[in-house]
Amino acid sequence: MNEYYPTPEQLINKMFHKIKEVHRDLTILEPSAGKGHICEEVQRLYKMNNRNRTIEVDAIEIEKEYQMILKGKGLSVIHDDFLTFGTYKNYDCIIMNPPFSNGDKHFMRAVDIQERRGGQVVCILNAETIRNPYTNLRRELVSVIDEYHAEVEFITDGFLDAERKTEVEIALISIVFPEIIKMDASLILDKMEKAKDYDDEEDFETSVIQGDPVKGIIESYNYEIKVGVEFLEEYFRIKPVLISGEEIQDKECFIIVKIGNNDRDGFQGNRNELINKFISRTRHKFWKTIFNLKVITEIVTTDAFWDLNSKIEEFSGYDVTRFNIQQLQKELYQNLSTNIESGIESFFDDVTTKAYDGKNTLYYNAMKTNKAWKIGKKAIIWLNAYDSWSHRFEPDYRVTQRVVEMEKILSYLTKGKKVTPDDVIKRVWECVRVTGQTKNIMFEYFNLTFYKKGTCHIEFTNDKAIELLNIFMAKKRNWLPPSYGKKKYYGMTDEEKDAINNFQGKDNYERCRNDDEVQDVLRDRGFLMLEEVSEHE
C-alpha cells in the first residue's frame, strides 16, 4: 500500500478524454484499481454525455482491503494480480495508474492483452520509465510506443494536488492497437442448425460422428442432457407434493433448484425456463471442450483460437451435433487463409521490426521505398523460457504456443497445410530438461537458443521457408513490382529491375519465376492448399 497514489480528478479527466470513440457502448478494465477513483470518475464522465449508452467497468486490485472497498461501491472485482490476469473478454480500453516501481511490467501486460485483440491502453507511468530505458523490458516498452505511434504527454504537476502528493514527473500514454483480422463467428452460426428451446415432444437423439474423440464428446453431451432434463422433470413432478399441507402458508417449496455455481449467479425459473437454462450451460461446457480438440486447434492460428473462445457464449444456442461441428470445421477452413496471412505478418514483424536486435534484419530498397526489410538466417526475439523466481529453464504454455505458431506458419508456407507439432515440441522440452542443453534446440524449421535475460536466438535451417516468407511479405506490402513472378526480368522497367536487384538479384528472380512453390504463395486466390472437410470428418 506504500505505492498507493490515488489519481486526482483533474488527471482522470485528462485520461478519460484520451479514450477513443467514447460516444458508444464501452467495456473498460482498470488494473490496480485501489479505492476505485478512476473507475468511478470514468463512469461519471461517460454517463454525463451518454444517457442512452452503457459502460461496463471491471476492476483488478491485489490488496484485499481495497477489494472490499471496491465491492462496497458496487464495482466488479474480477481478479487480484494483473500480472497473472488472463481473459477471453474484449476491452475497448484498459485505463490504469499502476505502481511506479513496476509500471513497465503492468504496461506491457496491458499491451499483450490489447495487441492480440485490438483496443486501447491509457496509462500513467513514471516519466523515467520512458526517458531512461536501462532495462530490456523498458527498451521493449519504448519500442512499442514508437511502433504504434502512441501519444505521450509529460506532466510535471499531476500529483501535486492529489490525496497523496508527489513531485514525480509522469508520462500519460495513449496507445491504440488496430483490430486484428478475426474469423467471423456469425458466418459459422448462420450455417448451423439453430437449437430449439425445450418442449415436451423434443426427442434428444444421439448423434454419432465418425472417429474419436468427437464421437465420445457428442455421446457424452446427449447423455448429460438426458440425465439433467429427467432430473429437472422429476423435480417439477414432486414439487407440488413438497408445498402441500395446511401448515405451509407461503406455498414455497423448501427444496430449491438453481442453475449456476453460487447464489449470485444462480438461475431460478419455471419448468421450461430452468430446463432451457440447463441445456444452454451444458452446450457452453461442451463447445469449450470442442474448441480445444486437435481437429479444431490444428486449423486455426493462435489469434483465431482466442477469438473463437471469446465467442463461446454465442455457441450456447447450438446443440453439439455432427452437423454443427462439421459446419464449424468448414467455416474455419474457409476463414483459414485470412487468419494464416495475419499470423504470417505477425511472425514476420516479430523477427524484423519487433526483434530485440535489429542488426539481424536485412534491409533493401524496394518499389518506391527504402524502408523494406527481410529475414536473414538469424534473428533475436523476446521469448522468455526461464522461470522468473528459480531462473531455471521452464518454458510455459505461452512459449510452447509461440513455438507451435512459428512452426505452423512456416509449415503452411512450404506445405500448404499444418503438420501438428504440439506433441513433438513437448517432447523436445522434456529432452532439454533432462540434458540441460538450452542452446541450438532443434525444431523442423529452426534452432532456438534461450537466454535468461528473456531473449531467444533463432537460426533458420530451412532456406526455402524463409525465401517464401520474404517473398510473401514483400509482395503483400507492395515492396515488389505488381508483375513479380509473372514478367521476365528483361521485360521489366528500370525501376522494377532496381527493386528486384535489391531484393534478390536477377538469377534468383528467374529461378523463383519458374518455381511452383513460389507461384503458390503469389496466387491472388490464396496460397493455401487446403483439404476439404469430408462428410464424415
Side-chain angles (χ1 to χ4, degrees), residues 213-235:
V214 176
K215 175 182 176 182
I217 288 175
I218 293 175
E219 290 179 342
S220 295
Y221 165 76
N222 282 283
Y223 179 75
E224 286 197 25
I225 289 288
K226 283 185 176 181
V227 170
V229 170
E230 288 174 5
F231 166 78
L232 292 171
E233 290 277 20
E234 183 65 16
Y235 167 74

Side-chain angles (χ1 to χ4, degrees), residues 268-456:
Q268 291 179 277
N270 62 36
R271 172 178 168 275
N272 278 3
E273 286 177 333
L274 203 62
I275 289 175
N276 285 334
K277 186 66 176 179
F278 161 73
I279 293 171
S280 176
R281 292 290 291 264
T282 305
R283 292 182 196 133
H284 180 286
K285 179 179 71 173
F286 277 90
W287 277 115
K288 195 168 185 66
T289 300
I290 289 167
F291 291 168
N292 285 278
L293 290 176
K294 277 192 176 182
V295 294
I296 301 299
T297 59
E298 71 178 7
I299 59 173
V300 295
T301 60
T302 301
D303 285 338
F305 173 79
W306 282 93
D307 180 51
L308 191 64
N309 275 273
S310 71
K311 294 180 171 65
I312 183 67
E313 293 299 334
E314 297 179 51
F315 284 84
S316 297
Y318 298 84
D319 274 323
V320 179
T321 65
R322 169 184 171 179
F323 175 83
N324 283 343
I325 294 175
Q326 286 180 341
Q327 289 303 307
L328 172 63
Q329 285 182 282
K330 287 178 181 178
E331 290 300 324
L332 288 174
Y333 267 97
Q334 290 175 16
N335 286 277
L336 180 59
S337 183
T338 300
N339 289 315
I340 287 295
E341 289 186 16
S342 177
I344 290 172
E345 286 197 77
S346 179
F347 172 70
F348 183 84
D349 289 339
D350 281 347
V351 293
T352 53
T353 57
K354 298 180 184 177
Y356 170 78
D357 188 348
K359 296 177 182 178
N360 294 285
T361 302
L362 305 177
Y363 296 89
Y364 64 96
N365 293 327
M367 288 288 291
K368 301 177 182 179
T369 178
N370 59 359
K371 295 182 180 180
W373 49 85
K374 61 182 181 179
I375 299 172
K377 287 284 291 184
K378 298 180 179 180
I380 304 176
I381 63 171
W382 296 100
L383 190 59
N384 189 5
Y386 284 86
D387 182 78
S388 59
W389 295 100
S390 66
H391 303 294
R392 292 181 301 192
F393 184 79
E394 291 289 345
D396 59 16
Y397 76 94
R398 290 169 296 186
V399 176
T400 299
Q401 189 179 60
R402 181 84 173 278
V403 176
V404 168
E405 185 84 348
M406 294 191 298
E407 287 267 273
K408 182 187 294 185
I409 292 301
L410 295 175
S411 179
Y412 271 123
L413 280 164
T414 57
K415 301 174 183 177
K417 62 181 180 179
K418 183 226 172 196
V419 178
T420 308
D422 307 53
D423 296 335
V424 174
I425 289 176
K426 289 176 183 177
R427 288 197 294 270
V428 171
W429 292 153
E430 289 303 318
C431 181
V432 171
R433 289 189 183 98
V434 171
T435 62
Q437 178 63 36
T438 60
K439 293 185 178 181
N440 293 318
I441 303 171
M442 297 176 63
F443 296 92
E444 183 175 358
Y445 294 95
F446 43 73
N447 296 337
L448 300 180
T449 298
F450 292 93
Y451 292 91
K452 292 183 178 180
K453 61 182 178 180
T455 59
C456 175

Side-chain angles (χ1 to χ4, degrees), residues 159-320:
F159 282 82
L160 290 182
D161 297 322
E163 182 178 324
R164 285 190 68 194
K165 297 177 174 55
T166 177
E167 296 181 356
V168 173
E169 184 182 18
I170 61 170
L172 175 56
I173 305 168
S174 171
I175 182 167
V176 178
F177 300 96
E179 184 177 1
I180 61 173
I181 298 173
K182 299 179 179 181
M183 176 198 65
D184 190 345
S186 64
L187 292 177
I188 296 173
L189 300 179
D190 286 343
K191 294 187 178 180
M192 286 183 172
E193 293 178 334
K194 188 73 175 177
K196 298 177 181 178
D197 282 342
Y198 174 83
D199 66 43
D200 291 345
E201 297 180 357
E202 183 171 357
D203 181 20
F204 292 98
E205 296 181 353
T206 301
S207 300
V208 178
I209 189 168
Q210 298 297 320
D212 194 37
V214 176
K215 175 182 176 182
I217 288 175
I218 293 175
E219 290 179 342
S220 295
Y221 165 76
N222 282 283
Y223 179 75
E224 286 197 25
I225 289 288
K226 283 185 176 181
V227 170
V229 170
E230 288 174 5
F231 166 78
L232 292 171
E233 290 277 20
E234 183 65 16
Y235 167 74
F236 281 101
R237 278 194 291 269
I238 68 172
K239 186 176 180 181
V241 177
L242 299 175
I243 62 173
S244 63
E246 295 181 0
E247 70 280 11
I248 307 297
Q249 300 300 319
D250 55 10
K251 299 298 182 182
E252 288 186 357
C253 182
F254 53 83
I255 297 178
I256 299 174
V257 174
K258 290 184 178 181
I259 305 298
N261 297 326
N262 52 51
D263 290 339
R264 186 184 67 180
D265 297 330
F267 176 87
Q268 291 179 277
N270 62 36
R271 172 178 168 275
N272 278 3
E273 286 177 333
L274 203 62
I275 289 175
N276 285 334
K277 186 66 176 179
F278 161 73
I279 293 171
S280 176
R281 292 290 291 264
T282 305
R283 292 182 196 133
H284 180 286
K285 179 179 71 173
F286 277 90
W287 277 115
K288 195 168 185 66
T289 300
I290 289 167
F291 291 168
N292 285 278
L293 290 176
K294 277 192 176 182
V295 294
I296 301 299
T297 59
E298 71 178 7
I299 59 173
V300 295
T301 60
T302 301
D303 285 338
F305 173 79
W306 282 93
D307 180 51
L308 191 64
N309 275 273
S310 71
K311 294 180 171 65
I312 183 67
E313 293 299 334
E314 297 179 51
F315 284 84
S316 297
Y318 298 84
D319 274 323
V320 179

Side-chain angles (χ1 to χ4, degrees), residues 364-372 477-482 493 495-496 498-500 502:
Y364 64 96
N365 293 327
M367 288 288 291
K368 301 177 182 179
T369 178
N370 59 359
K371 295 182 180 180
R477 293 184 173 176
N478 299 315
W479 295 335
L480 294 176
T493 64
E495 182 185 22
E496 291 173 333
D498 185 58
I500 295 297
N502 274 285

Side-chain angles (χ1 to χ4, degrees), residues 52-103:
N52 297 321
R53 300 286 185 180
T54 61
I55 182 170
E56 182 179 349
V57 180
D58 290 339
I60 294 175
E61 175 52 45
I62 198 166
E63 297 291 345
K64 294 189 182 300
E65 178 184 334
Y66 294 157
Q67 289 175 11
M68 297 300 294
I69 293 173
L70 292 168
K71 292 176 181 178
K73 293 180 176 180
L75 294 168
S76 176
V77 180
I78 60 172
H79 196 63
D80 53 356
D81 186 358
F82 181 57
L83 297 180
T84 65
F85 175 68
T87 181
Y88 290 125
K89 187 173 182 179
N90 294 327
Y91 289 98
D92 295 305
C93 182
I94 298 178
I95 186 167
M96 58 198 297
N97 173 18
F100 281 2
S101 64
N102 61 352

